[in-house]
Amino acid sequence: MTILNMILAQAAGAAQAGTAPAVATESLWDLTLAGGWLMIPLALLLVVSIYIFFERVFAINHVGKEDNKAFMQQIRDHIHAGRIEEAQKLCQATNSPYGRMIAKGVARIGRPMNDVLVAVENVGNMEVANLEKGFSWLATTAAGAPMIGFLGTVTGMVQAFMALAKAGTSANVTILSQGIYEALVTTVAGLIVGIVAMFAYNYLTSRVSKVMNKLERSTMEFMDLLNEPAK
């Protein structure tokens, strides 16, 4: 007798007896426990991903709110007036990706323009890499969590069929329930964690791209002001 036949037979028996199978309600904690030990790494992945998301959002927002236009105007005024030291002090006082990037360019004033551009771009690349800390974790979680959930699906079904084999002729749906619970719960949990990490990664990537565009505009503005005639 196949598993499907057993389920249909039990349902038919319940209908003949005039009783409907009771719908069991499980709490979130009960479902989590039913997922087995694989729920532990999934929970850790979720917690760390949420922490990285909010920590990076705060850091990126702090950079995005900086008044870059006013900063670049002050740099322009200092350089046109020949106040190189004041421009360097302003960059140090700003203590931002824009400030550290322009500070490197100010320190290279007097050298060939290509050398100045390369120095500024190198600092900009390092600042972007600093903003992208933890992104590799989110990308790995987005790909790995569903695979862990799939592993739980396989182990859960293995347990279910092992229990079915041990039960022999007395096998019923109840014997299969624990393994099926683990299979389904870990699958759902893995998908949820993977989806959360994927959306977090894509959102943060788009925010960093906007910061990169601002850094590139600042680089071009700085290079242009070096070629402007002093007023």
Side-chain angles (χ1 to χ4, degrees):
M1 180 179 292
T2 64
I3 298 175
L4 179 60
N5 290 335
M6 288 191 295
I7 296 175
L8 293 176
Q10 287 191 355
Q16 292 176 359
T19 59
V23 179
T25 58
E26 298 284 349
S27 66
L28 181 60
W29 177 249
D30 292 334
L31 288 175
T32 302
L33 293 179
W37 65 270
L38 284 175
M39 295 297 289
I40 297 176
L42 289 175
L44 292 175
L45 289 174
L46 179 61
V47 170
V48 175
S49 297
I50 292 175
Y51 169 79
I52 291 174
F53 173 74
F54 284 105
E55 190 272 335
R56 287 293 88 193
V57 166
F58 177 78
I60 296 171
N61 285 343
H62 179 70
V63 174
K65 290 179 180 179
E66 294 174 353
D67 189 358
N68 188 40
K69 292 182 179 180
F71 169 73
M72 290 304 299
Q73 183 59 49
Q74 290 178 296
I75 292 294
R76 177 179 284 104
D77 294 340
H78 286 315
I79 291 178
H80 284 173
R83 300 189 297 266
I84 304 301
E85 292 184 2
E86 284 76 2
Q88 291 177 333
K89 291 179 180 179
L90 175 62
C91 293
Q92 293 173 358
T94 302
N95 190 28
S96 67
Y98 306 104
R100 288 186 287 272
M101 187 176 65
I102 300 303
K104 181 62 69 173
V106 172
R108 294 292 190 274
I109 291 178
R111 296 188 179 184
M113 295 294 291
N114 187 60
D115 293 346
V116 177
L117 178 60
V118 170
V120 173
E121 288 181 342
N122 287 339
V123 175
N125 292 334
M126 289 188 292
E127 293 295 335
V128 171
N130 186 55
L131 290 176
E132 291 179 342
K133 286 181 179 179
F135 282 24
S136 59
W137 175 276
L138 292 177
T140 302
T141 300
M147 297 302 295
I148 295 176
F150 179 69
L151 176 61
T153 302
V154 174
T155 58
M157 295 307 297
V158 168
Q159 291 181 11
F161 282 103
M162 286 180 63
L164 181 64
K166 291 179 180 180
T169 56
S170 62
N172 54 54
V173 177
T174 303
I175 294 176
L176 300 174
S177 62
Q178 184 176 356
I180 294 176
Y181 252 148
E182 179 176 334
L184 297 180
V185 170
T186 53
T187 301
V188 173
L191 289 174
I192 290 175
V193 175
I195 290 171
V196 169
M198 180 185 66
F199 278 100
Y201 175 81
N202 290 335
Y203 174 78
L204 292 176
T205 300
S206 65
R207 295 296 304 276
V208 170
S209 296
K210 293 180 180 179
V211 175
M212 288 177 60
N213 293 334
K214 290 183 178 181
L215 291 174
E216 290 175 357
R217 286 196 297 268
S218 298
T219 301
M220 293 300 102
E221 288 181 30
F222 178 73
M223 299 305 298
D224 288 341
L225 74 86
L226 293 182
N227 291 320
E228 292 177 359
K231 297 181 180 179

